[in-house]
Amino acid sequence: MRKQIAAANWKMNLTYQQGAELLKTIVTSGVSPNENQQVLFAVPFPYLELTNDTAHLKENYFAAAQNCSDKKSGAYTGEVSAEMLKSIDVLFCLVGHSERREYFGETNDLLGRKVSICLTYDITPVFCCGEALRIREQNTQNAFVEQQLRESLFHLSSEQMLNVIIAYEPIWAIGTGKTASTAQAQEMHAHIRSVLQKQYGQEIAQKISILYGGSVKANNAKELFACEDVDGGLVGGASLIASDFIEIIRALK
Ligand code: PGA
């Protein structure tokens, strides 16, 4: 069975103290992921060590970075490299969240380099893809997402691909309270898996976890995660409320 994953994405929210409190509440709440489930906390860089320290109190909880540089090292003021993340035991990193694409001009090509450098340092990239409302209205979302996968992931070997997590996040559903219907989510997830299958074969495509993101809440997580090709969620707003995120962890298959 594929890994089932609940990933919190705090974005640029919460002070260190608020974050510490939230983590402690969730990790000590008694909700215990089984060996096939993982809980990730994608937190701001200054909170990564604290998050790992807290996450280590329980099995299957992990810190994740929200971004990293595509460069190895050097004169890039303000950037954080994959090697630096690795040096503090960060094992996961979001790559290509739509907010990075939109506000920081991140292109498929650049994201392909970020994915590669993460894998070089044994960091699992959580590669985000998904279409804007305009694309959905034109009914070209399948081709659009396929191109994102092709341009950022398909330079990887099969072995590397097995270490990638994909998160499908329709931009029109992020932070808007609008969730994709279970039918829309399942349809796109099945499409993503078929694109992976064409490139890497069925065995590999079946092993890759594909998360859904976009207004996942305590009251819709179970229904979404029950879809055959939905292997958990990447959760923004609802991950900032302990009781909601705990419910979302409980909703994992
Ligand atoms: P949301 O954010 O759950 O607040 O819609 C999801 C995300 O952007 O990862």
Side-chain angles (χ1 to χ4, degrees):
M1 200 191 177
R2 289 185 290 274
K3 280 258 181 286
Q4 304 295 302
I5 300 163
N9 178 8
W10 288 4
K11 310 189 180 185
M12 200 172 75
N13 293 300
L14 307 177
T15 62
Y16 185 85
Q17 290 76 11
Q18 290 167 331
E21 189 63 35
L22 178 61
L23 278 171
K24 203 169 96 205
T25 308
I26 294 168
V27 174
T28 59
S29 70
V31 55
S32 289
N34 68 33
E35 67 197 15
N36 198 48
Q37 300 171 336
Q38 288 178 334
V39 179
L40 313 183
F41 294 98
V43 302
F45 292 128
Y47 308 174
L48 280 166
E49 279 198 277
L50 164 82
T51 304
N52 251 345
D53 288 348
T54 313
H56 284 160
L57 298 175
K58 266 276 183 64
E59 241 172 287
N60 300 325
Y61 282 84
F62 302 93
Q66 296 179 7
N67 181 35
C68 71
S69 175
D70 65 313
K71 307 285 197 299
K72 193 179 173 317
S73 64
Y76 302 103
T77 303
E79 289 290 275
V80 174
S81 71
E83 186 179 24
M84 292 170 180
L85 295 175
K86 181 66 182 180
S87 71
I88 54 165
D89 293 327
V90 173
L91 304 179
F92 297 86
C93 182
L94 303 188
V95 173
H97 189 282
S98 63
E99 289 147 19
R100 301 290 322 165
R101 294 172 186 264
E102 183 177 350
Y103 305 131
F104 302 95
E106 298 195 352
T107 60
N108 290 343
D109 190 42
L110 172 87
L111 297 172
R113 294 200 296 277
K114 291 193 178 193
V115 165
S116 290
I117 201 144
C118 281
L119 291 167
T120 303
Y121 290 98
D122 295 323
I123 293 170
T124 299
V126 180
F127 177 76
C128 306
C129 57
E131 80 287 355
L133 185 58
R134 181 178 47 84
I135 308 261
R136 175 66 57 172
E137 284 170 350
Q138 292 164 353
N139 201 26
T140 53
Q141 66 273 12
N142 283 5
F144 182 84
V145 170
E146 178 163 350
Q147 191 173 354
Q148 290 182 318
L149 300 173
R150 229 166 245 301
E151 293 184 2
S152 300
L153 297 181
F154 284 5
H155 61 289
L156 301 177
S157 68
S158 301
E159 200 188 323
Q160 288 176 312
M161 193 63 210
L162 281 170
N163 291 318
V164 174
I165 297 169
I166 293 175
Y168 168 61
E169 298 206 302
I171 297 170
W172 46 271
I174 296 178
T176 58
K178 259 194 221 166
T179 319
S181 67
T182 48
Q184 285 172 323
Q186 170 54 29
E187 193 183 26
M188 178 57 85
H189 283 230
H191 171 64
I192 291 171
R193 208 174 298 289
S194 77
V195 171
L196 295 173
Q197 181 172 333
K198 261 191 285 170
Q199 185 72 14
Y200 292 99
Q202 187 178 10
E203 205 187 323
I204 287 168
Q206 283 302 327
K207 285 187 178 153
I208 296 172
S209 298
I210 307 175
L211 317 185
Y212 169 80
S215 299
V216 174
K217 305 285 176 207
N219 62 9
N220 61 20
K222 194 143 196 124
E223 201 188 349
L224 284 161
F225 299 172
C227 296
E228 189 184 336
D229 288 291
V230 177
D231 305 308
L234 179 54
V235 187
S239 75
L240 302 174
I241 303 160
S243 56
D244 286 14
F245 194 58
I246 289 166
E247 271 314 297
I248 291 168
I249 299 169
R250 287 211 171 96
L252 288 174
K253 279 202 253 321

